[in-house]
Every structure is written in C-alpha cells, then in structure tokens.
Amino acid sequence: MKSVSIVGLGWLGVPLGLYLRHLGWHVKGSKSTYDGVESMRLLRFETYYLELTPDLNVDPDDLSELLSADALVITIPPNQYLFNLSSYVQSIKNLVNEALLYGIEHIIFLSSTSVFPNQSGFFDEEMFIEPDTDIGKTLLEIENWLLSLPNVDCDVIRLGGLIGDDRHPAYSLAGRENISQGNSPVNLVHVDDCARAIQLLLEAPSCRAIYHLVAPQHPTKADYYQFVAKQLDIKPASFSCAKADPQRIILGDKICQELGFVYQYPDPYLMLPNFIAPY
C-alpha cells in the first residue's frame, strides 16, 4: 500500500486525504493545534501535531511516524505568515530537509497562481515570472528551491482560486460595493479537481514539473459573482467595470496534454451546489 503524508490537513488537505484513502492509500497528516489533531483523528486520520515556527515543533517520535511515507504533500499556504514571509520560506525548507532525511521519495508543493502579476496576458507554466506581490515572490522562491533539489522528485502545482461545496469567494464578497476590475476574468478551480490532479501526480512518475490547476472557462468577475450571489441567495456585490481591466488568464491545460487529466468542473458556473447554469 502506498503511503502519503499531508502536512496541513485543512480545507484542501482533508478532502484530499479522504479521496486518497478511498482509493487505497495509507494517509497520514498534520495539524498545528492539538484540538485540530483530535478533530482529524475523529475522521480516522493518522494525525500528528506539527507546528512550523519555522523550526519543526513536534515530538521526535511523531515526526518519525509522519515522515515515514512514500510521498509528502505540502498544503500550507503563506497566509498565516503574512507578517513574516521569510519565516514561511524557512519553514518549508526545514520541513523538506527533514523529509529528505527520512527518505521521502516524492514531494508535491501546492503553490498558487498568485505568482503571476495582475496584468493582461495568457500565462502558462513556461513563462518567465516577475511577481508583483510579496506572497508571489515568496512562493516563487520556494518553487525554484524545490525544483533545484538533487536526488528527489518534486512537483509544484499552482492552484487557482479554490471553490468547494462549503467554500465560495462570493460569501466574502457579499454586499461589498464598487469592487474594482469587475471586467477581469476569474481563474478558479474546484477542490475535487485538485484532489484528482494530486492523485494523478502521486501515481505518475515525477518529471520535476510545474502544473497549473485552473478551470478552462473564465467568465468576468462581475458576471460570475453576481450570478452566484443570486443562486446562493446572498447580497450581491457591486463591481466597477472598465475596458482597461486586466485580462489575466491562467492556462491550466498542460496537465491535460501531458498526463491526460480532464477537468470535472471546466466551467466556474458548474462549481455550485445544485447549480443552474446561465445558458
């Protein structure tokens, strides 16, 4: 039985773990609070307390159990390190270096399409990147470091905006007024597609690659979020739309061409419980 450790059993890590376990994988994981560890154990996950400070704050025996696996998936976003992104970089490096000592054979790091600047263009995995945010620069630094490591298979997945049955950006936008760049396209991906793509990479020979996960359809923010608000019966946001709004489209078809991946949710309008498509 193949084993995988998911560092960060959060909003994405939990459905990923459930999906892999259903497919026969031995799934382990970590949480950064003891209450979180107990909640995951109630879901029958083999879970260990691990806090990155950036040193590894973990019981040595627990660390040995956590990192005794075939593969490691790192799902920790930089959000909790916003005030000290250098600590986030060092945290990931410390974790990976420790994993290598335990003989981890395959590492998958979940990055973000926020590495790309907010400007018009079609962005694929081969493009030269100059991030325009501190988080984008931080993620790119980690990506480059991981892919330069010798003697280990590393893959990087850049995720678009995440959507699932219990998570949608429309909720945080509800009632907001005059949101800028309403004419810009969305770059979104459903959590189920994320889990399926990660499984595909875990089971495929690593080619030390970068892949984007973004649904191929890109409606404008104004059209999409106002439609979603109506379907969810929440107060719609209002948008400021201009012809000059950046037309930033992240291309997510490389994984389809190279690994045969097929998006289950190719259109953001399908990413709703009991969806009603507007066409």
Side-chain angles (χ1 to χ4, degrees):
M1 177 187 294
K2 286 284 190 177
S3 58
V4 59
S5 288
I6 302 172
V7 172
L9 285 172
W11 186 82
L12 174 55
V14 170
L16 171 62
L18 291 170
Y19 179 70
L20 292 174
R21 189 169 68 187
H22 175 72
L23 295 178
W25 283 74
H26 179 196
V27 178
K28 310 176 184 183
S30 73
K31 293 288 288 186
S32 60
T33 67
Y34 289 106
D35 287 344
V37 170
E38 291 305 314
S39 66
M40 291 299 101
R41 288 177 176 172
L42 291 175
L43 293 176
R44 298 185 294 109
F45 280 121
E46 182 181 330
T47 311
Y48 301 95
Y49 172 80
L50 171 64
E51 187 181 14
L52 303 175
T53 63
D55 295 328
L56 275 64
N57 183 9
V58 58
D59 181 272
D61 291 337
D62 287 351
L63 183 64
S64 177
E65 292 294 332
L66 177 65
L67 296 181
S68 295
D70 298 308
L72 173 68
V73 179
I74 303 173
T75 72
I76 303 173
N79 303 35
Q80 58 188 296
Y81 296 87
L82 282 175
F83 297 105
N84 193 348
L85 288 173
S86 61
S87 290
Y88 175 74
V89 172
Q90 193 58 52
S91 294
I92 300 301
K93 289 183 177 181
N94 288 345
L95 172 62
V96 169
N97 285 328
E98 197 70 27
L100 296 179
L101 293 177
Y102 280 89
I104 292 282
E105 299 173 354
H106 190 177
I107 296 172
I108 295 178
F109 176 69
L110 301 188
S111 184
S112 167
T113 56
S114 61
V115 297
F116 291 109
N118 185 30
Q119 63 187 41
S120 295
F122 293 88
F123 296 89
D124 63 20
E125 291 86 344
E126 311 308 318
M127 294 192 68
F128 175 76
I129 302 175
E130 290 185 300
D132 58 5
T133 66
D134 288 340
I135 285 182
K137 294 173 184 176
T138 297
L139 290 171
L140 185 61
E141 178 182 349
I142 293 173
E143 291 181 10
N144 290 335
W145 178 78
L146 284 169
L147 294 173
S148 71
L149 291 175
N151 305 319
V152 64
D153 292 332
C154 288
D155 291 308
V156 171
I157 302 178
R158 293 176 182 152
L159 302 174
L162 288 169
I163 288 182
D165 286 346
D166 58 349
R167 169 173 168 160
H168 201 289
Y171 288 109
S172 61
L173 295 176
R176 289 178 55 185
E177 298 181 356
N178 203 32
I179 300 173
S180 63
Q181 300 183 2
N183 200 39
S184 294
V186 299
N187 293 280
L188 301 172
V189 65
H190 195 280
V191 65
D192 290 354
D193 280 330
C194 295
R196 293 171 52 249
I198 294 168
Q199 173 232 340
L200 183 62
L201 278 179
L202 285 171
E203 296 181 350
S206 174
C207 51
R208 302 175 69 83
I210 297 175
Y211 291 107
H212 295 166
L213 280 182
V214 179
Q217 300 299 316
H218 305 269
T220 67
K221 294 177 182 179
D223 287 346
Y224 179 64
Y225 288 118
Q226 288 175 345
F227 170 81
V228 171
K230 182 177 180 181
Q231 300 307 310
L232 298 179
D233 196 24
I234 58 178
K235 187 175 182 180
S238 66
F239 292 83
S240 173
C241 300
K243 290 183 178 180
D245 288 347
Q247 299 301 296
R248 175 178 177 269
I249 292 181
I250 312 298
L251 301 174
D253 57 347
K254 176 183 174 182
I255 192 171
C256 305
Q257 297 167 0
E258 294 189 357
L259 300 180
F261 181 74
V262 177
Y263 286 93
Q264 184 176 344
Y265 296 90
D267 186 341
Y269 284 113
L270 306 180
M271 300 179 190
L272 292 175
N274 303 315
F275 75 91
I276 302 175
Y279 41 73

